[in-house]
Amino acid sequence: MKIDHTDFRNLFAAAALTLLPAAALAGDGVEIMHLSPDNTLVRVEKDARLVLLPVQESNPDARIDIIVDGKADRTINVRLATAKTDYTVPLDLSSYKGKDVVLDILTPQGRGSVGEAKDDICWTEMRTADEFNPADTETKYRPLFHHTPLYGWMNDPNGMFYKDGVWNLYYQYNPYGSKWQNMTWGHATSKDLIHWEQQPLAILPDGFGMIFSGSCALDPQNTAGFGSDAVVALYTSANRNQIQSMAHSNDGGMTFEKLPANPVITLDSEARDPNMFRNPETQEWNLVLAHALEHEMLFFTSPDLKTWTLASSFGKGLGAQDGVWECPDLFKLPVDGNRDNQKWVLLVNLNPGGPFGGSAAQYFIGDWDGHTFTADKDAKGNVPTKWLDYGKDNYATVTFSDAPDNRRTALGWMSNWQYAADVPTMQYRSANTLPRELKLFTGADGDILLASEPSPELLSLRGKTVAKCGKSSLSKKGKTFRLPTENSGVCEILAELDGSNGNPVELTLSNAAGNKVTMVYDPKEHTVSMDRTRSGVTDFSDNFPAVTLAPTFEKSGRLSLRIFVDRSSIELFADGGRAVMTNLVFPEQPYTTLTVSAPKGKAALKDLKIFSLK
Ligand code: FRU
């Protein structure tokens, strides 16, 4: 999605600045006091707004205790540069106005033999600043129509809710580097799910630890006592162990106040990512919590969001069990659009153990009576394993609370824990998937399945029709279409494929550098696949090259595809999202051509359109 980086609030105003030469910066606004080979104090000039910290990604973390008027306020971990600076990150000190700030820095030495911290280049490049406006240095791969943070690491979208016309997206965020660390709730808002505005950090780590994933709910009945306009957040505090904490907001989710009596839930085993909702049938709050290492979900109930009672558990031995269970969501949806026939969906994200390795989202269909979840069984009496997305890059998918018009709008983290920290971007890492509407449909064998359709707002992105083709038969050589030349070739492709003769249809995106991504619809097997083994840069991880395969659930030998190509991702939706596949790609140059062919004999294209995206 397009991000308005200019509205990074007053903190990040417009002024071009990234890395400045070391000599020009030495000690500017900071006094450096080396105490021992691995300990340095940095006194920051009074009322400095920001300190810019130089980062070298390959380094281990240095621990920075922020001491304010002699008291330890908080700790952050930063890969301070020793030999070269990859980028700088801003540490915001504006809340300490009028106070004395000293950074007590423990560097990861053990360097006795190698050198002392005082020789590191971070001290000469560290400086204070009024503004931080990192010019976008990632124009090659930064998505043009997906949400990404301007800089820093992001994983799970979480705590998402809709209120007063605004979609609020929070996410697992490291503001101090592009690898996982310092988990904080970053925040972005949107009026249309397409254009996102960065907002100030929403919930920062505290004495209970980092702020892991969680959820938000509106509380118009004021059951928690924070006011009828309150947004209530529950999240996992992660330090030595994981506990569940609460915060609330009375300004629509911009700022949160933590509950002084935190934590609200403790267990004697690892549990995280609380997801709560108001159950109108029981007039109670319900909560799902991932009992991560037990491969199960725990269910709690509460009258007031503060006191929670364990009601039941679900999942032991069911579905995919290989990895830890994380990031649940539970909601009800009509089956085939019929409001009189509704089923409950339990989303269970799992890492690793996905169908193509690494992290992935599975789900269960069943019934929820306010206390117990009972999964539907298939014809053989088993609880089937079902996958939300058959690509490698859709994880931690959860939905927005309180979305309008009974919508179930979902976002996923468009990456995979196998290689998320190694992908070839550095200023930022990771994007979220396109927003998707979740719907239930009945599959061929009567099984109820979850479809993910691109959200209707995405239609507003469509620009010119750059290629068009009516009904035509396909040969081995195929038909070739040019992708748009503007905006790095980002586009939306609509294709109606006819494989009713039983022969596969192949769609290949390619460029002059020889990079290609091949998607094949196989009407005999009822599958669609995507091969990114030669998609461009793939060598940053052995787990990246992959061919992913999805069941298509169609009977007719015909398949309609809707494919969104951004600078570093491909999202394929077949038959209105009945089969979905999300895969990252890092082409050396943008793909320029689409070839549609019938490699094994007679097949046809019924219709094709390629749109540029605004
Ligand atoms: C899932 C996850 C969550 C946790 C968060 C930490 O990707 O492991 O279970 O809350 O990431 O960043």
Side-chain angles (χ1 to χ4, degrees):
M1 260 136 277
K2 284 182 193 151
I3 299 172
D4 185 355
H5 293 310
T6 54
D7 193 316
F8 224 53
R9 292 264 155 143
N10 37 17
L11 183 58
F12 307 121
L17 168 83
T18 34
L19 306 176
L20 295 178
L25 305 175
D28 201 354
V30 290
E31 183 193 345
I32 312 280
M33 294 160 272
H34 298 295
L35 308 180
S36 69
D38 64 355
N39 189 199
T40 298
L41 289 186
V42 175
R43 180 180 295 283
V44 184
E45 78 187 338
K46 199 103 176 215
D47 295 340
R49 203 145 169 235
L50 305 172
V51 182
L52 302 183
L53 303 172
V55 174
Q56 183 176 344
E57 279 231 325
S58 55
N59 278 354
D61 281 318
R63 174 191 162 116
I64 306 181
D65 291 315
I66 305 169
I67 315 286
V68 181
D69 279 353
K71 290 194 201 96
D73 184 68
R74 62 193 181 101
T75 301
I76 61 172
N77 294 291
V78 183
R79 295 165 181 263
L80 287 179
T82 49
K84 74 170 173 81
T85 299
D86 292 322
Y87 50 83
T88 52
V89 290
L91 170 62
D92 180 11
L93 302 177
S94 50
S95 62
Y96 305 132
K97 207 167 170 24
K99 299 188 173 156
D100 274 294
V101 178
V102 173
L103 308 179
D104 184 353
I105 303 181
L106 189 64
T107 51
Q109 247 54 16
R111 322 177 181 209
S113 55
V114 186
E116 297 187 358
K118 68 177 163 50
D119 303 323
D120 296 344
I121 62 155
C122 59
W123 315 117
T124 50
E125 297 193 0
M126 198 177 280
R127 66 182 203 102
T128 56
D130 290 334
E131 292 164 348
F132 179 67
N133 181 358
D136 185 2
T137 58
E138 298 279 8
T139 47
K140 188 165 179 190
Y141 293 133
R142 187 187 289 280
L144 279 172
F145 60 101
H146 290 78
H147 169 261
T148 60
L150 177 55
Y151 67 93
W153 161 277
M154 174 173 79
N155 55 288
D156 322 355
N158 68 120
M160 295 120 70
F161 71 92
Y162 176 90
K163 187 176 191 288
D164 303 331
V166 180
W167 300 88
N168 285 270
L169 159 64
Y170 303 87
Y171 47 89
Q172 289 288 285
Y173 186 47
N174 180 8
Y176 310 115
S178 301
K179 299 217 180 219
W180 186 92
Q181 189 43 286
N182 304 307
M183 281 300 113
T184 299
W185 276 26
H187 185 201
T189 54
S190 174
K191 293 208 165 113
D192 61 2
L193 284 169
I194 309 281
H195 301 83
W196 292 95
E197 259 179 47
Q198 299 281 13
Q199 302 294 355
L201 302 177
I203 308 185
L204 271 67
D206 56 30
F208 287 123
M210 292 192 264
I211 313 297
F212 274 16
S213 280
S215 58
C216 283
L218 306 186
D219 184 20
Q221 294 167 32
N222 194 19
T223 61
F226 299 128
S228 56
D229 66 336
V231 178
V232 180
L234 267 184
Y235 57 88
T236 301
S237 297
N239 199 358
R240 292 180 199 101
N241 287 297
Q242 299 180 354
I243 55 182
Q244 316 314 317
S245 302
M246 176 188 247
H248 79 275
S249 168
N250 291 114
D251 59 5
M254 298 304 293
T255 57
F256 283 86
E257 203 177 307
K258 288 169 183 158
L259 190 74
N262 274 335
V264 291
I265 300 175
T266 62
L267 295 173
D268 62 5
S269 48
E270 199 165 307
R272 56 176 172 272
D273 311 336
N275 200 316
M276 64 183 158
F277 62 96
R278 182 84 185 156
N279 189 330
E281 282 151 34
T282 56
Q283 289 292 312
E284 275 185 319
W285 291 97
N286 292 162
L287 170 86
V288 198
L289 188 62
H291 208 190
L293 307 178
E294 309 296 322
H295 317 277
E296 65 176 1
M297 292 298 170
L298 302 178
F299 299 95
F300 293 77
T301 59
S302 171
D304 60 2
L305 289 164
K306 290 176 179 156
T307 46
W308 291 95
T309 308
L310 180 63
S312 65
S313 64
F314 168 84
K316 270 221 153 99
L318 298 176
Q321 288 271 323
D322 286 356
V324 287
W325 281 28
E326 303 182 315
C327 304
D329 202 352
L330 178 63
F331 46 85
K332 192 157 92 168
L333 283 176
V335 180
D336 299 318
N338 178 2
R339 297 232 143 255
D340 297 329
N341 178 19
Q342 307 218 19
K343 276 282 179 184
W344 286 83
V345 181
L346 176 64
L347 289 183
V348 174
N349 289 278
L350 155 104
N351 174 44
F356 307 103
S359 41
Q362 64 174 325
Y363 65 92
F364 298 90
I365 305 291
D367 295 305
W368 167 249
D369 64 6
H371 294 92
T372 311
F373 182 81
T374 316
D376 286 359
K377 295 187 172 149
D378 61 17
K380 293 187 191 125
N382 300 319
V383 174
T385 303
K386 296 176 177 175
W387 299 104
L388 184 67
D389 188 300
Y390 284 83
K392 279 200 75 151
D393 299 302
N394 183 353
Y395 190 55
T397 306
V398 287
T399 64
F400 283 85
S401 310
D402 294 281
D405 311 320
N406 295 313
R407 287 171 68 170
R408 258 306 144 185
T409 307
L411 279 183
W413 175 46
M414 196 157 57
S415 199
N416 189 312
W417 278 113
Q418 282 183 329
Y419 43 72
D422 305 315
V423 297
T425 64
M426 193 174 269
Q427 186 177 27
Y428 79 98
R429 281 214 179 82
S430 302
N432 283 314
T433 65
L434 289 177
R436 298 161 184 202
E437 304 301 313
L438 302 186
K439 299 191 172 155
L440 290 177
F441 69 99
T442 310
D445 55 2
D447 220 12
I448 298 171
L449 297 153
L450 194 55
S452 313
E453 228 178 15
S455 293
E457 285 82 354
L458 286 161
L459 286 173
S460 70
L461 275 178
R462 273 187 196 166
K464 286 186 297 237
T465 310
V466 296
K468 211 172 164 178
C469 174
K471 197 168 174 181
S472 46
S473 55
L474 291 170
S475 65
K476 215 168 180 177
K477 185 164 159 267
K479 291 188 173 305
T480 294
F481 306 94
R482 303 292 295 169
L483 301 183
T485 45
E486 70 264 36
N487 286 342
S488 315
V490 305
C491 63
E492 180 187 347
I493 300 166
L494 292 184
E496 301 280 335
L497 312 180
D498 186 347
S500 48
N501 283 319
N503 296 318
V505 183
E506 195 172 283
L507 290 86
T508 302
L509 294 168
S510 59
N511 63 21
N515 306 150
K516 61 178 191 171
V517 176
T518 305
M519 294 163 266
V520 180
Y521 165 47
D522 187 331
K524 270 201 196 121
E525 297 294 327
H526 305 281
T527 56
V528 60
S529 65
M530 195 188 296
D531 179 345
R532 69 171 178 193
T533 54
R534 285 188 282 162
S535 54
V537 181
T538 61
D539 61 358
F540 52 87
S541 163
D542 289 348
N543 291 311
F544 189 78
V547 183
T548 60
L549 182 80
T552 46
F553 305 108
E554 95 304 0
K555 288 191 208 141
S556 59
R558 300 202 169 95
L559 196 72
S560 73
L561 292 182
R562 190 165 170 203
I563 303 167
F564 289 89
V565 184
D566 204 337
R567 278 178 177 156
S568 54
S569 63
I570 301 176
E571 283 157 288
L572 176 152
F573 300 86
D575 284 345
R578 289 174 174 224
V580 191
M581 206 175 268
T582 306
N583 283 319
L584 293 176
V585 286
F586 298 96
E588 288 157 283
Q589 310 163 3
Y591 303 118
T592 50
T593 304
L594 171 71
T595 307
V596 188
S597 64
K600 296 205 176 139
K602 211 169 165 204
L605 190 56
K606 281 175 61 196
D607 199 24
L608 180 121
K609 284 193 190 81
I610 303 176
F611 300 99
S612 64
L613 295 177
K614 284 185 227 153

